Amino acid sequence: MNWFIKRTGQAIFTLWAVATLSFGLIRLMPGGAADIMASQLQQQAQGSNIPREQLREMVASQLNVDPDAPIHEAYYQYMSALVQGDFGTSIRYGGESVNAIIADTLPWTLFLMSLSTLGMFAIALSLGAIMAYKEGSTFDLANTGVGILLSSIPYYVAAVVFIAFLGYRTPLFPVRGRYPSGVDPGFTIEFIGGAFHHAMLPALSFIITGYGLLALTMRGNSIQVLGEDYVRVARLRGLPDRRIALRYVGRNAVLPLYTSLLISIGFMFGGSIILEILFQYRGIGFEMEQGIVYRDMPLMMGTFLVITFGVV
């Protein structure tokens, strides 16, 4: 229980520190976030002069911070809104709630991450176990070299290669979007199949560049377990190789990889930003980039804090 309380306290402190830093960055931004948003609102008004008091209220409603309030009051307003889960409204999308944008895009990022993680670990665990059983063979040496080579390639470089060869030269997969155009979202074969088809290249970018080191880790763990006394006893008892591989070797060799699994999830949260931009895949990382490009502070900070929460 003490360990649990300590870890929970560290997580809460990290989230508070990130939220506080984000508030400071908004205040220190050249020109001021409130001034930038005020000028954007004036431009959207198509030349009509909005009274200052009305403009201040509009900025305050979108930023959840009164731009004219002292810094300690503004900080209290900002943190109170975050605790309530209110990220404000987006200028980029015409005053739409940032919460609604996150609710629409976060499931797609989670879907892409889940597909990538499951595929990467399924390949790594299976291949690593086979390599351990065939230690020193040509199969083992070849896959060791390939795994090291692919692990040295950044996932976004693999994504560009996939776009060029599997998206354009050999158009096997779509290179943009979340599902086929003209298909209504729902529990239909066309929509579900199209969603998997559109997510295949982004997921492969993570899988191909990430399975190698995990497979080598599984190989090393399996070789270590194969040398244990209880495995020798199981063989002397005449137990089937399949049972030994699954219940004695596999279950014990996979235990140290749980930490790698959780770390890879955090890495994919951050990596989703670049990948979603490359594939124009409208997830939470793509929306964060939109917030940065269009200087949409509520959208930028809302998506940033959600990604930070996911990593923590």
Side-chain angles (χ1 to χ4, degrees):
M1 182 57 67
N2 290 335
W3 178 87
F4 178 78
I5 294 174
K6 180 180 178 181
R7 297 293 293 178
T8 303
Q10 289 176 349
I12 294 174
F13 174 80
T14 303
L15 293 173
W16 169 81
V18 171
T20 301
L21 287 173
S22 66
F23 172 79
L25 290 173
I26 291 176
R27 301 285 292 194
L28 295 174
M29 184 172 290
D35 294 337
I36 293 172
M37 293 186 68
S39 64
Q40 290 174 333
L41 291 171
Q42 285 284 14
Q43 292 175 3
Q44 290 181 357
Q46 297 179 348
S48 60
N49 191 17
I50 303 176
R52 174 174 173 77
E53 185 63 24
Q54 182 182 352
L55 194 62
R56 185 185 67 81
E57 293 177 357
M58 294 171 66
V59 171
S61 65
Q62 293 196 336
L63 269 180
N64 287 329
V65 173
D66 186 350
D68 295 332
I71 188 169
H72 64 279
E73 294 183 9
Y75 177 73
Y76 175 77
Q77 295 170 0
Y78 178 77
M79 295 301 294
S80 298
L82 289 185
V83 170
Q84 298 173 28
D86 184 5
F87 295 113
T89 56
S90 168
I91 293 179
R92 168 75 175 92
Y93 293 101
E96 184 178 356
S97 169
V98 174
N99 294 52
I101 296 172
I102 292 174
D104 176 61
T105 56
L106 181 59
W108 290 96
T109 298
L110 293 176
F111 167 67
L112 180 59
M113 286 173 47
S114 301
L115 189 62
S116 304
T117 304
L118 290 175
M120 183 168 61
F121 273 81
I123 294 174
L125 297 182
S126 304
L127 186 61
I130 297 173
M131 290 166 63
Y133 271 93
K134 298 181 178 293
E135 182 185 4
S137 66
T138 304
F139 177 85
D140 177 32
L141 296 176
N143 279 280
T144 299
V146 171
I148 294 173
L149 175 64
L150 293 177
S151 298
S152 65
I153 300 174
Y155 66 91
Y156 48 84
V157 173
V160 173
V161 173
F162 287 150
I163 291 173
F165 288 94
L166 298 180
Y168 288 108
R169 292 195 180 182
T170 307
L172 298 176
F173 299 97
V175 296
R176 59 187 300 128
R178 305 184 297 191
Y179 54 87
S181 58
V183 175
D184 295 327
F187 289 99
T188 61
I189 295 177
E190 292 80 8
F191 174 73
I192 295 175
F196 274 97
H197 195 209
H198 278 70
M200 194 57 63
L201 283 187
L204 281 176
S205 302
F206 276 132
I207 293 171
I208 294 298
T209 58
Y211 86 90
L213 291 181
L214 291 173
L216 293 176
T217 303
M218 181 63 181
R219 173 187 178 275
N221 294 342
S222 299
I223 290 174
Q224 182 178 0
V225 174
L226 283 170
E228 296 291 341
D229 292 337
Y230 59 82
V231 176
R232 295 194 184 99
V233 172
R235 285 173 172 166
L236 291 174
R237 290 174 57 194
L239 296 180
D241 288 341
R242 179 184 178 86
R243 183 177 180 184
I244 294 174
L246 294 177
R247 300 192 62 180
Y248 287 80
V249 179
R251 291 172 66 178
N252 290 284
V254 78
L255 289 175
L257 290 174
Y258 284 129
T259 303
S260 300
L261 170 64
L262 298 179
I263 292 175
S264 67
I265 292 175
F267 170 77
M268 287 183 183
F269 253 117
S272 66
I273 300 173
I274 298 177
L275 212 59
E276 289 176 1
I277 294 171
L278 287 173
F279 288 96
Q280 293 295 289
Y281 192 90
R282 191 166 175 250
I284 193 169
F286 177 84
E287 295 301 342
M288 181 178 177
E289 186 260 351
Q290 292 291 295
I292 295 171
V293 171
Y294 290 93
R295 307 297 291 273
D296 189 340
M297 310 305 167
L299 180 60
M300 178 175 61
M301 298 315 302
T303 53
F304 171 69
L305 290 173
V306 169
I307 290 175
T308 301
F309 179 80
V311 173
V312 172

